[in-house]
Amino acid sequence: MTKAKAKARKTKYSEFMERNRKSNGYLLKRTVMKYVVGFCRFLLMFGLCFLILQPIFNKISISFMTESDLYNPTVVSIPEHFTTNNYILAVQLMEYGKALTNSFVISITIALLQIGVCTLVGYGFARFDFPLKKFWFACVMMVILIPPQTISGSLHLHFRFFDVLGIFKAITGSTINLRGSKLPYYLMSAGCMGLKNGLYIYMIRQFFRNIPKELEEAAYVDGCGTLKTFIRIMLPDAKPILTSCFLFAFVWQWTDGFYSKMFLGQTVLVSTGLARIVDSLGAFIQRITGATVTISTAYANCILATGTLLIILPLIILYLFAQKGFVESLSSSGIKM
């Protein structure tokens, strides 16, 4: 068997050299260039992946170290004294179970609401003509370009003294304070002013614009109205882009700290867990040990790294289950766009 393989390899080599001779050396140059380019591409991709993953690997390594390992110069990546106490401490400080439940409920409901209203708006921009259409789409672009911190003062005042055309003040004598509740989240998302809503409208609009109008015209001929055509013809074709937008909305909502701090007040979320670690670490250890302690910077950073891993762990699990649909949605939407 080995002799047969050697003979076949020798025959293949002889054929290659004969073809190279007939091409005046071009075939060999092209083959060498192919392998050189492939090797350079491998180095580039390996370097980029390493740059992205190396900080996460460092956090994983640090999260299993004791405080003595952090100051041991002989310990680099593998802990000498393996421990899970950092995770136990981070879970207690972050109130992880409660924070996980609150974040999941808020993130998934907000993401569904955002995708629902952005789909309607994006479809309207793509398929219908209405007065000041270009102006309103320019406003959507402004929502994408202007950071939310720019209007933080206006948002604070609007929801601190919330009123609708002066009706609440006329009836009750005062406005309503919505800060500290989840209602501002849902009101802004329903009005397409939530987190990244402008981007979702733009992506969905671009997708619908590239769907042939003949599909809608055929549906109209068969007796479908505008709403029925949208639900039965357009939405099934839009599954790729809707999947992408939903995953983006969920992830951005999960890690959001700006709106969470502004509106939700004392609601326990994973996105605000790191702040609770910084504020409560010293007091928590002092309450357990009964003595005044000084938390070293290295150990505080170790607990923060552990908390960071706990925050991104659900997103990694989500990606593992949704990666097939996510990649397919990006490739499909990329082809159509």
Side-chain angles (χ1 to χ4, degrees):
M1 192 68 179
T2 305
K3 291 182 178 180
K5 288 185 177 179
K7 185 177 180 180
R9 191 180 297 111
K10 186 177 181 180
T11 302
K12 187 176 181 180
Y13 175 76
S14 300
E15 292 177 353
F16 176 83
M17 295 306 297
E18 179 64 20
R19 292 168 57 198
N20 181 64
R21 185 183 62 80
K22 291 180 178 181
S23 64
N24 294 323
Y26 173 76
L27 181 59
L28 180 62
K29 292 179 182 179
R30 191 183 68 176
T31 304
V32 172
M33 184 60 65
K34 173 185 174 182
Y35 284 104
V36 170
V37 172
F39 181 72
C40 293
R41 186 184 297 116
F42 166 76
L43 290 179
L44 180 61
M45 294 302 296
F46 179 82
L48 290 176
C49 292
F50 180 78
L51 288 175
I52 295 172
L53 296 177
Q54 191 264 345
I56 298 178
F57 291 148
N58 280 347
K59 291 183 184 299
I60 294 174
S61 174
I62 291 173
S63 68
F64 290 106
M65 291 184 183
T66 60
E67 187 171 3
S68 60
D69 287 345
L70 299 174
Y71 293 99
N72 189 343
T74 63
V75 176
V76 180
S77 297
I78 302 176
E80 183 176 349
H81 303 93
F82 187 88
T83 181
T84 58
N85 291 334
N86 297 330
Y87 285 92
I88 297 174
L89 181 58
V91 166
Q92 292 175 338
L93 290 172
M94 296 173 65
E95 301 178 58
Y96 192 66
K98 185 178 181 180
L100 195 66
T101 302
N102 291 341
S103 295
F104 181 80
V105 171
I106 292 176
S107 296
I108 197 168
T109 53
I110 289 294
L112 289 173
L113 180 59
Q114 286 182 329
I115 299 309
V117 296
C118 290
T119 300
L120 294 174
V121 175
Y123 181 71
F125 275 118
R127 283 299 194 246
F128 301 110
D129 291 323
F130 48 87
L132 301 177
K133 177 180 177 179
K134 293 184 178 179
F135 169 77
W136 294 119
F137 190 71
C139 292
V140 173
M141 293 294 99
M142 295 297 290
V143 171
I144 299 175
L145 297 175
I146 297 177
Q149 291 80 1
T150 307
I151 58 174
S152 59
S154 300
L155 291 177
H156 172 83
L157 294 174
H158 179 70
F159 290 108
R160 172 61 183 84
F161 304 99
F162 184 76
D163 202 349
V164 179
L165 302 176
I167 296 176
F168 293 132
K169 190 171 184 179
I171 296 175
T172 63
S174 63
T175 56
I176 302 175
N177 181 12
L178 294 182
R179 294 191 72 248
S181 70
K182 301 179 182 64
L183 191 57
Y185 258 148
Y186 294 98
L187 289 176
M188 293 184 63
S189 298
C192 292
M193 279 297 294
L195 184 63
K196 308 292 184 181
N197 274 23
L199 177 61
Y200 308 144
I201 292 174
Y202 176 77
M203 292 173 64
I204 293 171
R205 178 243 190 190
Q206 292 299 104
F207 185 90
F208 280 128
R209 285 188 64 186
N210 288 278
I211 294 180
K213 291 186 177 180
E214 288 75 11
L215 290 175
E216 291 175 296
E217 294 173 354
Y220 294 150
V221 171
D222 291 339
C224 287
T226 302
L227 181 60
K228 191 174 182 180
T229 300
F230 171 70
I231 295 175
R232 300 193 61 178
I233 305 298
M234 306 303 287
L235 279 185
D237 284 343
K239 285 181 181 179
I241 195 65
L242 296 183
T243 301
S244 297
C245 290
F246 174 79
L247 291 175
F248 286 142
F250 183 89
V251 171
W252 272 319
Q253 192 64 48
W254 184 271
T255 57
D256 172 60
F258 176 75
Y259 290 114
S260 302
K261 294 178 181 178
M262 176 174 290
F263 297 128
L264 298 186
Q266 300 302 316
T267 302
V268 179
L269 300 171
V270 293
S271 59
T272 58
L274 297 183
R276 289 196 298 277
I277 290 177
V278 174
D279 296 337
S280 307
L281 180 58
F284 184 82
I285 296 179
Q286 181 177 348
R287 186 168 67 252
I288 294 177
T289 59
T292 302
V293 293
T294 302
I295 306 300
S296 64
T297 302
Y299 187 64
N301 290 334
C302 174
I303 303 302
L304 286 174
T306 306
T308 302
L309 292 175
L310 291 174
I311 292 174
I312 66 176
L313 178 61
L315 301 181
I316 295 175
I317 296 174
L318 174 65
Y319 175 75
L320 290 178
F321 283 99
Q323 60 174 326
K324 183 178 180 181
F326 181 62
V327 172
E328 287 179 354
S329 66
L330 287 181
S331 61
S332 177
S333 61
I335 292 172
K336 292 182 180 179
M337 286 182 183

